[in-house]
Amino acid sequence: MRQPITQLPALRSNPATALFAATLLALALGLAARPVAAGEEVTVSIDNFTFNPAEVTVAPGTTVTWVNNDDIPHTVVDKKQAFRSKVLDTEGKYSFTFNTAGDFTYFCSLHPHMTGKVVVKPAG
């Protein structure tokens, strides 16, 4: 008998694995490319020196919140200087509302190999 995904012990004990599985499923179904409508919440997790998801697509007016789940500090800095967080300690959060369409590539100024991207385009 098959167990529902939420009852599989490996996924229940490891939220990162569950998130990875959900992301893969969303990509397979084509849901990851759908712009998030303005007003919907978007959270990017900072875990294990990565931004997860590494790329999000949102509609203008959407607020993206980054949450540092690592044990060391990180920052969120737009390469074109549209936004810049303060240093985020563990469980620290930073939010930015994207009102202008475009691509926003960002990185951690403390660990420049950490990169991510927010694509802002009208839903439709």
Side-chain angles (χ1 to χ4, degrees):
M1 180 171 134
R2 291 187 179 186
Q3 293 179 321
I5 290 175
T6 57
Q7 292 181 358
L8 292 174
L11 296 180
R12 199 174 45 229
S13 63
N14 187 343
T17 301
L19 180 61
F20 180 72
T23 301
L24 286 179
L25 179 61
L27 288 171
L29 297 174
L31 299 176
R34 175 186 73 84
V36 172
E40 289 186 45
E41 292 184 27
V42 176
T43 301
V44 175
S45 177
I46 303 170
D47 284 305
N48 199 23
F49 291 88
T50 61
F51 295 106
N52 191 15
E55 183 173 322
V56 295
T57 301
V58 301
T62 302
T63 299
V64 176
T65 300
W66 288 265
V67 181
N68 183 9
N69 294 308
D70 265 345
D71 292 334
I72 61 167
H74 293 291
T75 63
V76 180
V77 180
D78 177 54
K79 287 188 177 182
K80 295 180 182 174
Q81 302 177 358
F83 56 88
R84 180 183 192 93
S85 74
K86 63 179 178 58
V87 174
L88 304 174
D89 287 322
T90 303
E91 298 181 14
K93 295 180 181 182
Y94 171 72
S95 296
F96 183 81
T97 302
F98 291 87
N99 292 313
T100 307
D103 293 351
F104 297 84
T105 303
Y106 62 89
F107 64 102
C108 172
S109 62
L110 303 173
H111 311 98
H113 68 280
M114 295 174 55
T115 61
K117 185 176 185 180
V118 177
V119 177
V120 183
K121 63 181 182 180

